Amino acid sequence: MEKKNVLIVCGTLRKNGYNLQLANVIKQLIGKRADVSYLDYSELPPMNQDLESPEPASVAAVRGAVRAADGIWFVTPQYNASFPGHIKNLIDWLSRPLPGQGRGSVVITGRKVTVSGAGGRTATTEMRRELGSLLAFVGADVMSEPETGIALSGGSWQTGKLKLSDDDRSALSVQVDAFLEFIA
């Protein structure tokens, strides 16, 4: 059986943010069972219908990466009980049809996705709920269970290094196995 492609969308903009560290742990847990890459969406302009045609090269590149993925894993922090604005901008671009084409050209439609996050004491519960709802609204096929939310420990906050408990690692392993089955 051919290896699947998992595309990680990291929602942190920090160079070594907790959610990038979490994404790296997820990549390690996936191991050789799938090819894993990270989406570079740093050049996306703010969504603006005046910019849609001709399609900007940065938008085309992001859409191409999404199109090539068998599954997309969003790993993002929680900002004010939701997800970061740049994630919304990304999804807005992905939810638009290609210039001059119909709704069938929307690249996020039917894409299998899952969500994880690391943050404060609520373990990104609100972000995961809001992001999952938005992804379902734009037509993605969301694996809502299991999801993993990590409540950062005091040690993580003090050192800037993601510290996972055995329970955290176990929950991530269960989500990895379930997602690989979901995209099979």
Side-chain angles (χ1 to χ4, degrees), residues 10 22 37 52 72-73 80 87 96 115 117 121 150 174 182:
C10 190
L22 179 59
S37 59
E52 284 188 290
I72 304 168
W73 197 315
N80 297 318
I87 293 293
R96 301 290 298 168
V115 178
R121 66 180 172 270
I150 307 295
V174 167
F182 185 61

Side-chain angles (χ1 to χ4, degrees), residues 49-61:
Q49 285 181 293
D50 291 338
L51 300 178
E52 284 188 290
S53 186
E55 181 182 37
S58 60
V59 174

Side-chain angles (χ1 to χ4, degrees), residues 4-49:
K4 297 295 183 175
N5 294 309
V6 174
L7 181 64
I8 294 179
V9 176
C10 190
T12 187
L13 298 177
R14 294 177 58 205
K15 288 184 179 154
N16 194 32
Y18 298 112
N19 284 278
L20 178 57
Q21 294 174 57
L22 179 59
N24 290 334
V25 170
I26 291 166
K27 182 179 180 183
Q28 289 172 351
L29 289 171
I30 291 172
K32 296 187 182 298
R33 295 182 287 170
D35 292 324
V36 178
S37 59
Y38 293 82
L39 181 65
D40 180 2
Y41 59 100
S42 62
E43 299 295 319
L44 278 184
M47 177 56 211
N48 179 341
Q49 285 181 293

Side-chain angles (χ1 to χ4, degrees), residues 106-123:
V106 175
V107 297
I108 196 71
T109 300
R111 294 287 164 206
K112 295 182 178 294
V113 300
T114 194
V115 178
S116 296
R121 66 180 172 270
T122 67

Side-chain angles (χ1 to χ4, degrees), residues 9-14 41-42 44-47 74-77 79 83-93:
V9 176
C10 190
T12 187
L13 298 177
R14 294 177 58 205
Y41 59 100
S42 62
L44 278 184
M47 177 56 211
F74 285 82
V75 184
T76 183
Y79 290 179
F83 45 85
H86 50 273
I87 293 293
K88 174 69 164 70
N89 186 59
L90 168 64
I91 294 169
D92 287 346
W93 276 111

